[in-house]
Amino acid sequence: MIAETVCSAVSAAGLGIAVVTAYRKRFLAAARIAAYSLVPVGLVMTGVVGWAADTAFSPTAWAGFALLGGAWLLFATTRAVERRSGGTRKERKAAKAAQREAVAPAASAPSLGEGARPAARPATTPRATGASDDFSDIEAILKKHGI
């Protein structure tokens, strides 16, 4: 009974604000405020407010909400751990194997950064036309990185 009274009062206040807004010639905003203010009365008339009031005072309903919250917490935690650790077990194994392959057989660390000495520039040769020109640039870059 109290919830229905509060919803009716909120709707009446919203409609009053909508009338004042329309008086100020802001009809679009007034129509939007009127639409929002009719929602509480509509919820009371459909019975949603009564259902919510019954649910709010039911221990079984609160236990259900607690279980749903726990399930959501478990789901979110496992997703966060999965993202942080790099995916599933198969993905981590594949990434570890790819990292091992990136290291040269005789090297002690991956050759990703620049070395202590600057890389020697490849000797410039007369370049052929066409696709071989593109491949020579790629080969030079790969040689520079030790691949």
Side-chain angles (χ1 to χ4, degrees):
M1 181 75 178
I2 292 175
E4 289 86 359
T5 305
V6 170
C7 287
S8 298
V10 168
S11 290
L15 289 174
I17 293 170
V19 167
V20 171
T21 305
Y23 180 75
R24 293 181 180 171
K25 305 227 186 273
R26 299 184 62 206
F27 299 110
L28 185 62
R32 192 175 301 125
I33 292 170
Y36 281 124
S37 66
L38 291 175
V39 169
V41 170
L43 291 175
V44 167
M45 294 175 95
T46 58
V48 172
V49 173
W51 173 80
D54 291 342
T55 303
F57 298 113
S58 168
T60 306
W62 282 106
F65 285 127
L67 285 176
L68 288 174
W72 178 84
L73 185 66
L74 282 172
F75 178 73
T77 303
T78 57
R79 291 290 295 165
V81 169
E82 184 179 27
R83 284 186 186 149
R84 190 167 192 200
S85 64
T88 63
R89 189 173 191 189
K90 288 182 181 179
E91 291 172 352
R92 287 192 304 268
K93 281 187 175 182
K96 199 176 278 190
Q99 186 179 13
R100 275 190 232 122
E101 292 173 4
V103 178
S108 60
S111 336
L112 298 176
E114 291 185 34
R117 55 189 158 89
R121 294 197 104 168
T124 56
T125 58
R127 297 186 179 192
T129 60
S132 65
D133 185 32
D134 294 334
F135 290 123
S136 64
D137 291 340
I138 293 171
E139 287 179 27
I141 292 170
L142 292 174
K143 285 181 184 177
K144 177 181 174 185
H145 290 289
I147 297 174

